[in-house]
Short mmCIF file of all heavy atoms in Angstrom, two decimals:
data_model
loop_
_atom_site.label_atom_id
_atom_site.label_comp_id
_atom_site.label_asym_id
_atom_site.label_seq_id
_atom_site.Cartn_x
_atom_site.Cartn_y
_atom_site.Cartn_z
N MET A 22 38.63 -32.30 37.86
CA MET A 22 38.88 -31.15 38.68
C MET A 22 40.38 -30.98 38.91
O MET A 22 40.89 -29.86 38.86
CB MET A 22 38.13 -31.30 40.00
CG MET A 22 38.19 -30.14 40.89
SD MET A 22 37.22 -30.47 42.35
CE MET A 22 36.44 -28.93 42.58
N ILE A 23 41.06 -32.08 39.13
CA ILE A 23 42.50 -32.02 39.35
C ILE A 23 43.20 -31.57 38.07
O ILE A 23 44.09 -30.72 38.11
CB ILE A 23 43.05 -33.39 39.82
CG1 ILE A 23 42.52 -33.69 41.22
CG2 ILE A 23 44.56 -33.40 39.81
CD1 ILE A 23 42.84 -35.06 41.72
N TYR A 24 42.77 -32.10 36.93
CA TYR A 24 43.39 -31.75 35.66
C TYR A 24 43.19 -30.26 35.36
O TYR A 24 44.12 -29.58 34.92
CB TYR A 24 42.81 -32.60 34.52
CG TYR A 24 43.50 -32.36 33.21
CD1 TYR A 24 44.71 -32.98 32.91
CD2 TYR A 24 42.97 -31.48 32.28
CE1 TYR A 24 45.36 -32.75 31.73
CE2 TYR A 24 43.62 -31.24 31.08
CZ TYR A 24 44.80 -31.88 30.80
OH TYR A 24 45.45 -31.63 29.62
N GLU A 25 41.98 -29.76 35.59
CA GLU A 25 41.71 -28.34 35.31
C GLU A 25 42.53 -27.44 36.24
O GLU A 25 43.00 -26.38 35.82
CB GLU A 25 40.22 -28.04 35.45
CG GLU A 25 39.38 -28.69 34.37
CD GLU A 25 39.79 -28.28 32.97
OE1 GLU A 25 40.10 -27.09 32.75
OE2 GLU A 25 39.79 -29.14 32.08
N THR A 26 42.69 -27.84 37.49
CA THR A 26 43.51 -27.07 38.42
C THR A 26 44.97 -27.10 37.98
O THR A 26 45.66 -26.07 38.01
CB THR A 26 43.39 -27.61 39.85
OG1 THR A 26 42.00 -27.62 40.22
CG2 THR A 26 44.16 -26.79 40.84
N ALA A 27 45.44 -28.27 37.55
CA ALA A 27 46.81 -28.37 37.05
C ALA A 27 47.01 -27.51 35.81
O ALA A 27 48.05 -26.87 35.65
CB ALA A 27 47.14 -29.83 36.73
N LYS A 28 46.01 -27.47 34.95
CA LYS A 28 46.11 -26.64 33.74
C LYS A 28 46.18 -25.16 34.11
O LYS A 28 46.96 -24.40 33.55
CB LYS A 28 44.91 -26.91 32.83
CG LYS A 28 45.03 -26.25 31.49
CD LYS A 28 43.91 -26.69 30.57
CE LYS A 28 44.08 -26.09 29.19
NZ LYS A 28 43.01 -26.53 28.29
N ALA A 29 45.37 -24.75 35.09
CA ALA A 29 45.40 -23.36 35.54
C ALA A 29 46.76 -23.02 36.15
O ALA A 29 47.31 -21.93 35.91
CB ALA A 29 44.29 -23.11 36.55
N LEU A 30 47.33 -23.94 36.93
CA LEU A 30 48.65 -23.71 37.51
C LEU A 30 49.72 -23.61 36.42
O LEU A 30 50.62 -22.77 36.49
CB LEU A 30 49.01 -24.84 38.48
CG LEU A 30 48.25 -24.88 39.80
CD1 LEU A 30 48.53 -26.18 40.54
CD2 LEU A 30 48.62 -23.69 40.65
N ALA A 31 49.62 -24.47 35.40
CA ALA A 31 50.59 -24.45 34.31
C ALA A 31 50.49 -23.14 33.52
O ALA A 31 51.51 -22.54 33.18
CB ALA A 31 50.37 -25.64 33.38
N LEU A 32 49.27 -22.70 33.26
CA LEU A 32 49.10 -21.45 32.54
C LEU A 32 49.60 -20.26 33.34
O LEU A 32 50.20 -19.33 32.80
CB LEU A 32 47.62 -21.25 32.17
CG LEU A 32 47.11 -22.14 31.05
CD1 LEU A 32 45.60 -21.99 30.92
CD2 LEU A 32 47.79 -21.82 29.74
N ALA A 33 49.38 -20.29 34.65
CA ALA A 33 49.85 -19.20 35.50
C ALA A 33 51.38 -19.20 35.63
O ALA A 33 52.01 -18.15 35.66
CB ALA A 33 49.21 -19.29 36.87
N GLY A 34 51.95 -20.39 35.68
CA GLY A 34 53.39 -20.50 35.88
C GLY A 34 54.20 -20.29 34.62
O GLY A 34 55.19 -19.56 34.60
N ASN A 35 53.79 -20.95 33.54
CA ASN A 35 54.57 -20.93 32.31
C ASN A 35 53.88 -20.24 31.15
O ASN A 35 54.51 -19.92 30.16
CB ASN A 35 54.90 -22.36 31.85
CG ASN A 35 55.77 -23.09 32.84
OD1 ASN A 35 56.49 -22.47 33.60
ND2 ASN A 35 55.71 -24.40 32.82
N GLY A 36 52.58 -20.10 31.24
CA GLY A 36 51.83 -19.57 30.12
C GLY A 36 51.58 -20.62 29.06
O GLY A 36 51.18 -20.30 27.95
N VAL A 37 51.83 -21.88 29.40
CA VAL A 37 51.66 -22.99 28.45
C VAL A 37 50.76 -24.03 29.10
O VAL A 37 51.00 -24.44 30.22
CB VAL A 37 53.01 -23.63 28.08
CG1 VAL A 37 52.83 -24.78 27.13
CG2 VAL A 37 53.95 -22.59 27.51
N GLY A 38 49.72 -24.47 28.37
CA GLY A 38 48.81 -25.46 28.93
C GLY A 38 48.78 -26.75 28.13
O GLY A 38 47.74 -27.39 28.04
N THR A 39 49.91 -27.14 27.56
CA THR A 39 49.95 -28.39 26.79
C THR A 39 49.86 -29.58 27.74
O THR A 39 50.24 -29.48 28.92
CB THR A 39 51.24 -28.48 25.97
OG1 THR A 39 52.36 -28.47 26.86
CG2 THR A 39 51.37 -27.32 24.98
N PRO A 40 49.35 -30.70 27.26
CA PRO A 40 49.20 -31.88 28.13
C PRO A 40 50.50 -32.31 28.81
O PRO A 40 50.49 -32.72 29.96
CB PRO A 40 48.69 -32.96 27.18
CG PRO A 40 47.98 -32.22 26.11
CD PRO A 40 48.75 -30.94 25.94
N ARG A 41 51.61 -32.21 28.12
CA ARG A 41 52.88 -32.61 28.71
C ARG A 41 53.25 -31.72 29.89
O ARG A 41 53.72 -32.19 30.93
CB ARG A 41 53.98 -32.56 27.66
CG ARG A 41 55.33 -32.96 28.19
CD ARG A 41 56.36 -32.96 27.10
NE ARG A 41 56.21 -34.19 26.33
CZ ARG A 41 56.86 -34.46 25.22
NH1 ARG A 41 57.69 -33.59 24.71
NH2 ARG A 41 56.68 -35.59 24.60
N VAL A 42 53.02 -30.42 29.77
CA VAL A 42 53.33 -29.48 30.85
C VAL A 42 52.32 -29.64 31.99
O VAL A 42 52.69 -29.58 33.16
CB VAL A 42 53.34 -28.03 30.32
CG1 VAL A 42 53.52 -27.04 31.45
CG2 VAL A 42 54.43 -27.85 29.29
N VAL A 43 51.06 -29.87 31.64
CA VAL A 43 50.02 -30.01 32.66
C VAL A 43 50.31 -31.22 33.55
O VAL A 43 50.09 -31.17 34.76
CB VAL A 43 48.63 -30.11 32.00
CG1 VAL A 43 47.56 -30.49 33.02
CG2 VAL A 43 48.27 -28.79 31.33
N LYS A 44 50.84 -32.30 32.97
CA LYS A 44 51.18 -33.50 33.76
C LYS A 44 52.15 -33.17 34.89
O LYS A 44 52.10 -33.76 35.96
CB LYS A 44 51.81 -34.57 32.87
CG LYS A 44 50.83 -35.38 32.11
CD LYS A 44 51.58 -36.48 31.36
CE LYS A 44 50.66 -37.35 30.59
NZ LYS A 44 51.39 -38.40 29.86
N LEU A 45 53.03 -32.22 34.65
CA LEU A 45 54.01 -31.85 35.67
C LEU A 45 53.37 -31.18 36.88
O LEU A 45 53.94 -31.17 37.97
CB LEU A 45 55.06 -30.91 35.07
CG LEU A 45 55.86 -31.46 33.89
CD1 LEU A 45 56.73 -30.36 33.30
CD2 LEU A 45 56.70 -32.65 34.33
N TYR A 46 52.18 -30.62 36.70
CA TYR A 46 51.50 -29.89 37.76
C TYR A 46 50.42 -30.70 38.48
O TYR A 46 49.77 -30.19 39.38
CB TYR A 46 50.88 -28.61 37.19
CG TYR A 46 51.90 -27.54 36.90
CD1 TYR A 46 52.51 -27.45 35.66
CD2 TYR A 46 52.25 -26.61 37.86
CE1 TYR A 46 53.44 -26.47 35.38
CE2 TYR A 46 53.17 -25.62 37.60
CZ TYR A 46 53.77 -25.56 36.36
OH TYR A 46 54.69 -24.59 36.09
N ILE A 47 50.23 -31.96 38.11
CA ILE A 47 49.16 -32.78 38.70
C ILE A 47 49.33 -32.92 40.21
O ILE A 47 48.38 -32.74 40.97
CB ILE A 47 49.10 -34.17 38.03
CG1 ILE A 47 48.64 -34.04 36.57
CG2 ILE A 47 48.21 -35.13 38.80
CD1 ILE A 47 47.19 -33.69 36.39
N ASP A 48 50.54 -33.21 40.68
CA ASP A 48 50.76 -33.37 42.12
C ASP A 48 50.52 -32.06 42.87
O ASP A 48 49.94 -32.05 43.96
CB ASP A 48 52.18 -33.87 42.40
CG ASP A 48 52.37 -35.32 41.98
OD1 ASP A 48 51.35 -36.06 41.93
OD2 ASP A 48 53.51 -35.71 41.68
N ASP A 49 50.96 -30.95 42.27
CA ASP A 49 50.72 -29.64 42.90
C ASP A 49 49.23 -29.34 42.97
O ASP A 49 48.75 -28.79 43.95
CB ASP A 49 51.43 -28.53 42.12
CG ASP A 49 52.95 -28.64 42.21
OD1 ASP A 49 53.44 -29.28 43.16
OD2 ASP A 49 53.63 -28.08 41.33
N ALA A 50 48.50 -29.71 41.92
CA ALA A 50 47.06 -29.46 41.88
C ALA A 50 46.35 -30.25 42.97
O ALA A 50 45.44 -29.74 43.63
CB ALA A 50 46.49 -29.81 40.51
N ARG A 51 46.77 -31.50 43.18
CA ARG A 51 46.18 -32.31 44.25
C ARG A 51 46.40 -31.66 45.60
O ARG A 51 45.51 -31.61 46.45
CB ARG A 51 46.78 -33.72 44.24
CG ARG A 51 46.24 -34.60 43.19
CD ARG A 51 46.68 -36.05 43.41
NE ARG A 51 46.15 -36.87 42.35
CZ ARG A 51 46.88 -37.42 41.38
NH1 ARG A 51 48.18 -37.25 41.38
NH2 ARG A 51 46.31 -38.14 40.44
N GLU A 52 47.61 -31.15 45.81
CA GLU A 52 47.94 -30.50 47.08
C GLU A 52 47.11 -29.22 47.28
O GLU A 52 46.63 -28.95 48.38
CB GLU A 52 49.44 -30.17 47.12
CG GLU A 52 49.93 -29.72 48.47
CD GLU A 52 49.80 -30.80 49.54
OE1 GLU A 52 49.96 -31.99 49.23
OE2 GLU A 52 49.54 -30.43 50.70
N VAL A 53 46.93 -28.46 46.22
CA VAL A 53 46.12 -27.23 46.30
C VAL A 53 44.68 -27.58 46.66
O VAL A 53 44.08 -26.98 47.55
CB VAL A 53 46.19 -26.45 44.97
CG1 VAL A 53 45.11 -25.39 44.91
CG2 VAL A 53 47.56 -25.84 44.79
N LEU A 54 44.12 -28.56 45.96
CA LEU A 54 42.72 -28.93 46.22
C LEU A 54 42.55 -29.53 47.62
O LEU A 54 41.54 -29.31 48.27
CB LEU A 54 42.23 -29.90 45.15
CG LEU A 54 42.07 -29.28 43.77
CD1 LEU A 54 41.74 -30.34 42.74
CD2 LEU A 54 41.01 -28.20 43.77
N ARG A 55 43.54 -30.27 48.08
CA ARG A 55 43.49 -30.81 49.43
C ARG A 55 43.52 -29.67 50.44
O ARG A 55 42.79 -29.69 51.44
CB ARG A 55 44.68 -31.75 49.66
CG ARG A 55 44.54 -32.57 50.92
CD ARG A 55 45.68 -33.59 51.07
NE ARG A 55 45.70 -34.53 49.96
CZ ARG A 55 46.77 -34.75 49.19
NH1 ARG A 55 47.90 -34.10 49.41
NH2 ARG A 55 46.71 -35.61 48.21
N GLY A 56 44.34 -28.65 50.20
CA GLY A 56 44.39 -27.49 51.08
C GLY A 56 43.07 -26.73 51.10
O GLY A 56 42.61 -26.29 52.15
N VAL A 57 42.43 -26.59 49.94
CA VAL A 57 41.14 -25.91 49.87
C VAL A 57 40.09 -26.70 50.65
O VAL A 57 39.29 -26.13 51.40
CB VAL A 57 40.71 -25.72 48.40
CG1 VAL A 57 39.26 -25.27 48.30
CG2 VAL A 57 41.62 -24.73 47.71
N ALA A 58 40.09 -28.02 50.48
CA ALA A 58 39.12 -28.85 51.19
C ALA A 58 39.33 -28.79 52.70
O ALA A 58 38.37 -28.71 53.46
CB ALA A 58 39.23 -30.30 50.70
N ASN A 59 40.59 -28.80 53.12
CA ASN A 59 40.87 -28.71 54.56
C ASN A 59 40.46 -27.36 55.13
O ASN A 59 39.92 -27.28 56.24
CB ASN A 59 42.36 -28.96 54.83
CG ASN A 59 42.73 -30.41 54.67
OD1 ASN A 59 41.89 -31.29 54.75
ND2 ASN A 59 44.01 -30.66 54.41
N ALA A 60 40.70 -26.29 54.38
CA ALA A 60 40.30 -24.96 54.85
C ALA A 60 38.78 -24.86 54.94
O ALA A 60 38.24 -24.29 55.90
CB ALA A 60 40.85 -23.89 53.91
N ALA A 61 38.09 -25.42 53.97
CA ALA A 61 36.62 -25.39 53.99
C ALA A 61 36.09 -26.20 55.18
O ALA A 61 35.12 -25.80 55.82
CB ALA A 61 36.07 -25.93 52.68
N LYS A 62 36.74 -27.31 55.46
CA LYS A 62 36.32 -28.13 56.60
C LYS A 62 36.53 -27.39 57.91
O LYS A 62 35.69 -27.42 58.80
CB LYS A 62 37.11 -29.45 56.59
CG LYS A 62 36.66 -30.44 57.62
CD LYS A 62 37.44 -31.73 57.47
CE LYS A 62 37.04 -32.74 58.51
NZ LYS A 62 37.83 -33.97 58.39
N ARG A 63 37.68 -26.70 58.02
CA ARG A 63 37.96 -25.91 59.23
C ARG A 63 36.93 -24.81 59.43
O ARG A 63 36.55 -24.50 60.55
CB ARG A 63 39.35 -25.27 59.11
CG ARG A 63 40.41 -25.91 59.91
CD ARG A 63 41.67 -25.08 60.02
NE ARG A 63 42.02 -24.26 58.89
CZ ARG A 63 42.78 -24.64 57.84
NH1 ARG A 63 43.25 -25.87 57.80
NH2 ARG A 63 43.05 -23.81 56.87
N GLN A 64 36.49 -24.20 58.33
CA GLN A 64 35.51 -23.13 58.41
C GLN A 64 34.10 -23.65 58.61
O GLN A 64 33.19 -22.87 58.87
CB GLN A 64 35.55 -22.29 57.12
CG GLN A 64 36.86 -21.58 56.88
CD GLN A 64 37.12 -20.50 57.91
OE1 GLN A 64 36.20 -19.85 58.40
NE2 GLN A 64 38.37 -20.30 58.27
N GLY A 65 33.91 -24.96 58.46
CA GLY A 65 32.59 -25.54 58.64
C GLY A 65 31.68 -25.36 57.44
O GLY A 65 30.46 -25.37 57.58
N TRP A 66 32.26 -25.19 56.26
CA TRP A 66 31.46 -25.00 55.05
C TRP A 66 30.89 -26.32 54.57
O TRP A 66 31.52 -27.37 54.68
CB TRP A 66 32.31 -24.41 53.93
CG TRP A 66 32.67 -22.98 54.11
CD1 TRP A 66 32.56 -22.24 55.24
CD2 TRP A 66 33.20 -22.12 53.11
NE1 TRP A 66 32.99 -20.96 55.01
CE2 TRP A 66 33.39 -20.86 53.71
CE3 TRP A 66 33.54 -22.29 51.79
CZ2 TRP A 66 33.90 -19.79 53.01
CZ3 TRP A 66 34.05 -21.22 51.09
CH2 TRP A 66 34.22 -19.97 51.70
N THR A 67 29.70 -26.25 54.01
CA THR A 67 29.12 -27.42 53.34
C THR A 67 29.54 -27.38 51.88
O THR A 67 30.08 -26.38 51.39
CB THR A 67 27.59 -27.41 53.43
OG1 THR A 67 27.10 -26.27 52.72
CG2 THR A 67 27.11 -27.37 54.88
N VAL A 68 29.28 -28.47 51.18
CA VAL A 68 29.61 -28.54 49.76
C VAL A 68 28.85 -27.47 48.98
O VAL A 68 29.41 -26.80 48.10
CB VAL A 68 29.32 -29.94 49.20
CG1 VAL A 68 29.52 -29.98 47.70
CG2 VAL A 68 30.20 -30.98 49.88
N ASP A 69 27.58 -27.28 49.31
CA ASP A 69 26.77 -26.27 48.62
C ASP A 69 27.36 -24.87 48.81
O ASP A 69 27.39 -24.07 47.88
CB ASP A 69 25.33 -26.29 49.12
CG ASP A 69 24.61 -27.58 48.75
OD1 ASP A 69 25.01 -28.20 47.74
OD2 ASP A 69 23.66 -27.94 49.46
N GLU A 70 27.82 -24.57 50.01
CA GLU A 70 28.41 -23.26 50.27
C GLU A 70 29.72 -23.06 49.51
O GLU A 70 30.01 -21.97 49.02
CB GLU A 70 28.66 -23.08 51.77
CG GLU A 70 27.40 -22.94 52.59
CD GLU A 70 27.65 -22.99 54.08
OE1 GLU A 70 28.65 -23.61 54.51
OE2 GLU A 70 26.85 -22.40 54.82
N MET A 71 30.50 -24.14 49.39
CA MET A 71 31.75 -24.05 48.63
C MET A 71 31.48 -23.79 47.16
O MET A 71 32.12 -22.95 46.54
CB MET A 71 32.55 -25.35 48.77
CG MET A 71 33.67 -25.26 49.75
SD MET A 71 34.65 -26.75 49.77
CE MET A 71 35.67 -26.52 48.36
N VAL A 72 30.52 -24.51 46.60
CA VAL A 72 30.18 -24.32 45.19
C VAL A 72 29.67 -22.91 44.96
O VAL A 72 30.03 -22.25 43.98
CB VAL A 72 29.15 -25.38 44.73
CG1 VAL A 72 28.60 -25.06 43.37
CG2 VAL A 72 29.77 -26.76 44.75
N LEU A 73 28.86 -22.42 45.86
CA LEU A 73 28.32 -21.06 45.74
C LEU A 73 29.44 -20.02 45.84
O LEU A 73 29.43 -19.02 45.11
CB LEU A 73 27.27 -20.81 46.82
CG LEU A 73 26.50 -19.52 46.71
CD1 LEU A 73 25.69 -19.49 45.43
CD2 LEU A 73 25.57 -19.37 47.90
N ALA A 74 30.43 -20.26 46.70
CA ALA A 74 31.55 -19.32 46.83
C ALA A 74 32.44 -19.34 45.59
O ALA A 74 32.96 -18.30 45.18
CB ALA A 74 32.37 -19.67 48.07
N LEU A 75 32.62 -20.50 44.99
CA LEU A 75 33.48 -20.60 43.81
C LEU A 75 32.80 -20.11 42.55
O LEU A 75 33.45 -19.63 41.63
CB LEU A 75 33.94 -22.06 43.62
CG LEU A 75 34.86 -22.58 44.71
CD1 LEU A 75 35.08 -24.08 44.53
CD2 LEU A 75 36.18 -21.84 44.69
N ASP A 76 31.47 -20.24 42.48
CA ASP A 76 30.73 -19.84 41.29
C ASP A 76 29.46 -19.11 41.71
O ASP A 76 28.37 -19.69 41.69
CB ASP A 76 30.39 -21.06 40.44
CG ASP A 76 29.84 -20.70 39.08
OD1 ASP A 76 30.08 -19.58 38.63
OD2 ASP A 76 29.15 -21.54 38.48
N PRO A 77 29.59 -17.84 42.12
CA PRO A 77 28.41 -17.11 42.63
C PRO A 77 27.39 -16.87 41.51
O PRO A 77 27.76 -16.73 40.35
CB PRO A 77 28.99 -15.80 43.14
CG PRO A 77 30.28 -15.63 42.44
CD PRO A 77 30.77 -17.01 42.12
N PRO A 78 26.11 -16.81 41.86
CA PRO A 78 25.09 -16.55 40.84
C PRO A 78 25.22 -15.13 40.32
O PRO A 78 25.60 -14.21 41.04
CB PRO A 78 23.78 -16.75 41.59
CG PRO A 78 24.12 -16.55 43.02
CD PRO A 78 25.54 -16.98 43.18
N LYS A 79 24.93 -14.98 39.05
CA LYS A 79 25.01 -13.66 38.42
C LYS A 79 23.67 -12.96 38.59
O LYS A 79 22.62 -13.58 38.50
CB LYS A 79 25.35 -13.83 36.96
CG LYS A 79 26.72 -14.47 36.83
CD LYS A 79 27.12 -14.69 35.42
CE LYS A 79 28.47 -15.32 35.31
NZ LYS A 79 28.74 -16.46 36.11
N PRO A 80 23.69 -11.64 38.84
CA PRO A 80 22.42 -10.93 39.02
C PRO A 80 21.62 -10.92 37.71
O PRO A 80 22.19 -10.79 36.63
CB PRO A 80 22.86 -9.51 39.41
CG PRO A 80 24.26 -9.39 38.93
CD PRO A 80 24.84 -10.77 38.94
N LYS A 81 20.31 -11.07 37.84
CA LYS A 81 19.45 -11.06 36.66
C LYS A 81 19.24 -9.62 36.21
O LYS A 81 19.03 -8.73 37.02
CB LYS A 81 18.12 -11.72 36.97
CG LYS A 81 18.28 -13.19 37.28
CD LYS A 81 16.97 -13.89 37.33
CE LYS A 81 17.25 -15.36 37.58
NZ LYS A 81 16.13 -16.18 37.30
N LEU A 82 19.32 -9.43 34.92
CA LEU A 82 19.13 -8.10 34.36
C LEU A 82 17.65 -7.81 34.17
O LEU A 82 16.85 -8.71 33.91
CB LEU A 82 19.84 -8.00 33.00
CG LEU A 82 21.35 -8.16 33.03
CD1 LEU A 82 21.89 -8.15 31.61
CD2 LEU A 82 21.99 -7.06 33.83
N LYS A 83 17.31 -6.54 34.27
CA LYS A 83 15.94 -6.12 34.00
C LYS A 83 15.74 -6.20 32.48
O LYS A 83 16.69 -6.11 31.71
CB LYS A 83 15.73 -4.70 34.49
CG LYS A 83 15.85 -4.58 36.00
CD LYS A 83 15.72 -3.15 36.44
CE LYS A 83 15.97 -3.05 37.94
NZ LYS A 83 16.07 -1.68 38.39
N PRO A 84 14.50 -6.36 32.04
CA PRO A 84 14.26 -6.51 30.60
C PRO A 84 14.86 -5.40 29.74
O PRO A 84 15.35 -5.65 28.66
CB PRO A 84 12.73 -6.53 30.49
CG PRO A 84 12.27 -7.01 31.82
CD PRO A 84 13.28 -6.51 32.81
N GLY A 85 14.86 -4.16 30.21
CA GLY A 85 15.41 -3.06 29.43
C GLY A 85 16.93 -3.04 29.40
O GLY A 85 17.54 -2.48 28.50
N GLU A 86 17.58 -3.68 30.38
CA GLU A 86 19.04 -3.67 30.46
C GLU A 86 19.69 -4.75 29.60
O GLU A 86 20.87 -4.69 29.32
CB GLU A 86 19.48 -3.86 31.91
CG GLU A 86 19.10 -2.72 32.82
CD GLU A 86 19.46 -3.01 34.26
OE1 GLU A 86 19.69 -4.19 34.59
OE2 GLU A 86 19.51 -2.07 35.05
N ARG A 87 18.94 -5.73 29.19
CA ARG A 87 19.51 -6.85 28.44
C ARG A 87 20.14 -6.42 27.13
O ARG A 87 21.16 -6.94 26.72
CB ARG A 87 18.44 -7.90 28.15
CG ARG A 87 18.04 -8.67 29.35
CD ARG A 87 17.10 -9.79 28.97
NE ARG A 87 16.50 -10.31 30.17
CZ ARG A 87 15.31 -10.83 30.24
NH1 ARG A 87 14.56 -10.92 29.16
NH2 ARG A 87 14.84 -11.28 31.38
N HIS A 88 19.51 -5.48 26.46
CA HIS A 88 19.96 -5.12 25.12
C HIS A 88 20.76 -3.83 25.09
O HIS A 88 21.11 -3.36 24.03
CB HIS A 88 18.74 -5.00 24.19
CG HIS A 88 17.93 -6.26 24.16
ND1 HIS A 88 18.40 -7.42 23.59
CD2 HIS A 88 16.71 -6.55 24.65
CE1 HIS A 88 17.50 -8.38 23.72
NE2 HIS A 88 16.45 -7.87 24.36
N GLN A 89 21.05 -3.28 26.24
CA GLN A 89 21.86 -2.06 26.28
C GLN A 89 23.32 -2.42 26.24
O GLN A 89 23.75 -3.46 26.74
CB GLN A 89 21.57 -1.28 27.56
CG GLN A 89 20.20 -0.65 27.60
CD GLN A 89 19.98 0.11 28.92
OE1 GLN A 89 20.79 0.01 29.81
NE2 GLN A 89 18.89 0.83 28.98
N GLY A 90 24.09 -1.54 25.66
CA GLY A 90 25.54 -1.73 25.65
C GLY A 90 26.13 -1.29 26.98
O GLY A 90 25.40 -0.92 27.90
N PRO A 91 27.45 -1.25 27.07
CA PRO A 91 28.07 -0.78 28.30
C PRO A 91 27.80 0.70 28.52
O PRO A 91 27.57 1.44 27.55
CB PRO A 91 29.56 -1.04 28.06
CG PRO A 91 29.70 -1.16 26.59
CD PRO A 91 28.40 -1.64 26.06
N PRO A 92 27.80 1.16 29.75
CA PRO A 92 27.55 2.58 30.01
C PRO A 92 28.63 3.45 29.37
O PRO A 92 29.80 3.08 29.35
CB PRO A 92 27.56 2.70 31.53
CG PRO A 92 28.17 1.45 32.02
CD PRO A 92 28.06 0.41 30.95
N LEU A 93 28.22 4.57 28.83
CA LEU A 93 29.16 5.48 28.19
C LEU A 93 29.91 6.28 29.25
O LEU A 93 29.33 6.75 30.22
CB LEU A 93 28.41 6.43 27.25
CG LEU A 93 27.66 5.75 26.10
CD1 LEU A 93 26.85 6.79 25.34
CD2 LEU A 93 28.62 5.04 25.19
N ALA A 94 31.19 6.46 29.03
CA ALA A 94 32.00 7.25 29.96
C ALA A 94 31.81 8.71 29.65
O ALA A 94 31.79 9.13 28.50
CB ALA A 94 33.47 6.87 29.82
N SER A 95 31.64 9.50 30.68
CA SER A 95 31.45 10.93 30.46
C SER A 95 32.81 11.58 30.29
O SER A 95 33.82 11.15 30.85
CB SER A 95 30.69 11.57 31.62
OG SER A 95 31.48 11.48 32.78
N SER A 96 32.86 12.65 29.51
CA SER A 96 34.12 13.33 29.25
C SER A 96 34.39 14.44 30.27
O SER A 96 35.37 15.16 30.16
CB SER A 96 34.12 13.91 27.84
OG SER A 96 33.05 14.82 27.70
N GLU A 97 33.52 14.59 31.23
CA GLU A 97 33.70 15.63 32.24
C GLU A 97 34.70 15.17 33.30
O GLU A 97 34.71 14.01 33.70
CB GLU A 97 32.37 15.93 32.93
CG GLU A 97 31.34 16.50 31.97
CD GLU A 97 30.01 16.73 32.68
OE1 GLU A 97 29.64 15.89 33.51
OE2 GLU A 97 29.39 17.72 32.38
N PRO A 98 35.57 16.09 33.75
CA PRO A 98 36.56 15.70 34.78
C PRO A 98 35.98 15.56 36.14
O PRO A 98 34.98 15.86 36.53
CB PRO A 98 37.58 16.83 34.74
CG PRO A 98 36.95 17.96 34.03
CD PRO A 98 35.78 17.41 33.26
#
């Protein structure tokens, strides 16, 4: 989790996610995750609520919607 956070920080900061660059962001990633955990604790969130907030469930599609493409844009103003 720390490595993936460091990689995201490196990509956001430099646009480079090589292992050498990611190592530079490990301490920052720990601090970010510690801040997130402290904020969740202050809010009284459980682990399940945190996971649900970070990765919300996707709505299930109706059988007819599964094979449809994206909605077509109308040319009317």
